[in-house]
Amino acid sequence: MRVAILTDEVGWHTRQLQQALRARGAVGRCVDLADCDIDTTASAHGLVIPGYGRGLPDAAIVRGVAGGSFEQVTKRLGVLHALQALGVPVYNEARAIERSVDKSMTSLLLHAAGVPTPPTWATESAARARRTAVREGAAGHALVMKPLFGSQGKGLQQVGAVDGTPHGEHRLLPDLADFGRLAYLQRFVPSADPGPGFDWRVLVIGGRAVAAMRRVSEHWIHNVAQGARTEAAELTPDLARLAEAASAALQMDYAGIDLIPSPGRGLGGGAVQVLEVNGVAAWRGLQRVTPFNIARALVDDLIDRKLAAAVPRRAARRA
């Protein structure tokens, strides 16, 4: 069995996946989507996947899609769409990645599915964004402005009532030119308890929550890439239920779900809300605090569920 690991960065995660694939009798080859071409003269299917000649892999695991121009990213996602259309199981599928990488679509789908998530606004109008920040600030709420396609906590800014009072410090909206001329705003969730704040990362594989950790930081941004430390966390039924509902709302094969407690009643002293859904989730920090073999679980789900379901469909296409 030949599995393409689609990634722009070879390292710890890809080695983990290759080891888990070998344990199942499969071979994982790292392929950069930027190196994949469409060539309708090269083969009947019209794709060129490095290392696979005129053929195609039996399955593909998406580990990373490099940024680039709109045209470059469109082509790379097009390759994922084409692989799926040709009967190659893609884990996660292109549509799922598109839903999760666009934070506004994530928020919209979570809201539509009834999954608790902070109030969110996305607008191309600077005037409407400023009015939202003023209105929320008058109610004592800060907002977090995020790059629509950002990751790892990069580029986040607080605006509005950053000290949590209507008449205190009010931080103005930054220039939208620095955010792709679009304002994606999410109501800031203050820490439920005194001391360092935290959120949870819950990993969902094949629709089932399998592991959790807390990301703890003195800063209001809790990403490990921004200096947060990881701690083992109990995967409670409530956390699992919310994470699984968030993954289902975006139709993910696997996902890293970020959840946060807020003041009130519930887990950790507050009601729990889903902040983000990560469709190409890293798991190195989570693996440090859990004995659960994450790469093996991902590969098992790909082979036993995704690939097994695709075999009859591929046979029908060939017929």
Side-chain angles (χ1 to χ4, degrees), residues 29-192:
R29 177 187 290 273
C30 294
V31 178
D32 193 335
L33 280 167
D35 296 329
C36 298
D37 292 331
I38 293 172
D39 183 348
T40 58
T41 69
S43 63
H45 51 72
L47 287 179
V48 178
I49 310 297
Y52 292 92
R54 296 169 64 88
L56 293 172
D58 296 300
I61 301 174
V62 182
R63 184 52 237 141
V65 180
S69 69
F70 179 77
E71 290 80 4
Q72 288 174 315
V73 173
T74 297
K75 189 274 290 183
R76 293 164 193 170
L77 291 171
V79 170
L80 297 183
H81 283 293
L83 285 170
Q84 184 181 341
L86 291 165
V88 177
V90 179
Y91 192 93
N92 280 304
E93 296 176 1
R95 289 292 184 205
I97 291 173
E98 289 166 353
R99 294 182 194 106
S100 62
V101 76
D102 176 354
K103 290 185 175 64
S104 64
M105 181 55 64
T106 297
S107 295
L108 186 66
L109 292 173
L110 292 175
H111 174 73
V115 178
T117 189
T120 302
W121 300 263
T123 178
E124 297 179 46
S125 168
R128 285 196 290 273
R130 283 193 294 268
R131 286 198 295 270
T132 298
V134 169
R135 184 178 64 248
E136 285 289 295
H141 299 304
L143 300 175
V144 179
M145 188 159 175
K146 303 180 180 181
L148 190 69
F149 302 123
S151 62
Q152 299 183 327
K154 297 175 182 176
L156 275 59
Q157 295 188 34
Q158 278 193 21
V159 299
V162 295
D163 65 352
T165 64
H167 306 295
E169 181 186 356
H170 187 96
R171 210 164 283 169
L172 298 178
L173 197 78
D175 190 342
L176 295 195
D178 297 330
F179 289 82
R181 301 195 179 280
L182 183 135
Y184 171 81
L185 299 162
Q186 194 172 60
R187 184 179 291 171
F188 175 68
V189 181
S191 177

